[in-house]
Amino acid sequence: GQQVMQIPQYQHVQEGEDFTTYCNSSTTLSNIQWYKQRPGGHPVFLIQLVKSGEVKKQKRLTFQFGEAKKNSSLHITATQTTDVGTYFCAGRNGKIIFGKGTRLHILP
Amino acid sequence: GAGVSQTPSNKVTEKGKYVELRCDPISGHTALYWYRQSLGQGPEFLIYFQGTGAADDSGLPNDRFFAVRPEGSVSTLKIQRTERGDSAVYLCASSALTGGTTEAFFGQGTRLTVV
């Protein structure tokens, strides 16, 4: 069945450093979504990418969708303590399949 | 209400008992999803409804798990003969499936503990 893999599992960065998480699907996706989950909370939608090669930005966050629509990345520039949480990619082909997430820790 | 509502928020049950978990989606959302999340893991897909019908139930781990959505709104996840391994947070999400962005809105989850 469809699988969505995400690396790294954990990332510790100094506040102000950049952060990137990568997502890879075993199948071509109609679209990919990114969610953020704060400790003790539920996943909250960040963005959806639909087109091959699409790049979208939200302030310090940059999202990319691969040309083959099987991989994606999230890059955060100059991390802040508010960025702490787990970032999930989710591939959509009808149902939404989540990766295992990348847990971001910010060191002050 | 404005968001997805799940009840109860916490449920402790004894091994072997039957439990029902309820999800009230955002009004008008045709798609409804159930996930299970263990500590440190991503949401694990269980089942997905389009309207009243289960469009994909391939994530249900075994026949002890069953979900319904009889009127295309509220959904109930039913677990028979619960086992300790069923302990997790059960998340429900709903989505409009119309327009350009089909984001899923999650409820706060039901934390199930089987003792």
Side-chain angles (χ1 to χ4, degrees):
Chain A
Q2 180 187 346
Q3 292 186 22
V4 176
M5 292 142 287
Q6 217 174 325
I7 57 168
Q9 189 175 359
Y10 301 97
Q11 185 82 58
H12 294 78
V13 300
Q14 291 286 144
E15 188 175 7
E17 290 183 339
D18 293 356
F19 159 77
T20 305
T21 173
Y22 300 91
C23 180
N24 194 56
S25 170
S26 58
T27 59
T28 301
L29 300 167
S30 57
N31 64 58
I32 197 155
Q33 299 177 343
W34 286 89
Y35 292 78
K36 178 182 178 180
Q37 186 174 24
R38 294 182 182 274
H42 59 275
V44 175
F45 176 84
L46 293 176
I47 208 160
Q48 175 175 290
L49 304 170
V50 179
K51 299 176 184 175
S52 170
E54 188 171 14
V55 178
K56 285 188 176 180
K57 293 192 175 186
Q58 288 181 350
K59 298 182 180 178
R60 294 178 295 105
L61 278 61
T62 302
F63 304 83
Q64 288 189 294
F65 200 9
E67 294 291 339
K69 300 184 73 173
K70 294 179 73 173
N71 56 62
S72 182
S73 65
L74 157 60
H75 180 81
I76 303 178
T77 303
T79 53
Q80 300 174 359
T81 55
T82 53
D83 296 326
V84 164
T86 302
Y87 293 84
F88 295 100
C89 63
R92 184 179 202 122
N93 276 330
K95 62 188 176 187
I96 305 174
I97 299 297
F98 282 76
K100 291 188 182 298
T102 297
R103 187 173 302 173
L104 175 61
H105 295 268
I106 308 289
L107 304 170
Chain B
V4 177
S5 175
Q6 289 188 247
T7 53
S9 54
N10 280 285
K11 175 72 177 177
V12 180
T13 191
E14 291 181 345
K15 179 175 176 296
K17 298 289 189 184
Y18 167 83
V19 295
E20 288 190 353
L21 312 179
R22 176 188 167 109
C23 174
D24 218 319
I26 293 172
S27 178
H29 279 189
T30 55
L32 185 147
Y33 312 85
W34 281 101
Y35 293 88
R36 177 168 71 173
Q37 188 174 30
S38 300
L39 193 63
Q41 300 295 312
E44 174 193 2
F45 171 77
L46 296 177
I47 186 169
Y48 153 52
F49 288 90
Q50 270 271 50
T52 59
D56 190 324
D57 65 357
S58 60
L60 294 177
N62 51 59
D63 61 6
R64 295 187 298 106
F65 289 74
F66 189 71
V68 295
R69 195 186 185 198
E71 297 178 357
S73 179
V74 171
S75 177
T76 305
L77 178 65
K78 308 180 181 193
I79 311 175
Q80 299 178 322
R81 304 183 304 280
T82 50
E83 300 176 356
R84 292 196 179 90
D86 298 335
S87 297
V89 175
Y90 288 80
L91 293 166
C92 174
S94 70
S95 179
L97 286 189
T98 55
T101 297
T102 54
E103 67 181 278
F105 293 84
F106 280 83
Q108 296 289 349
T110 293
R111 182 177 298 278
L112 176 67
T113 304
V114 182
V115 297

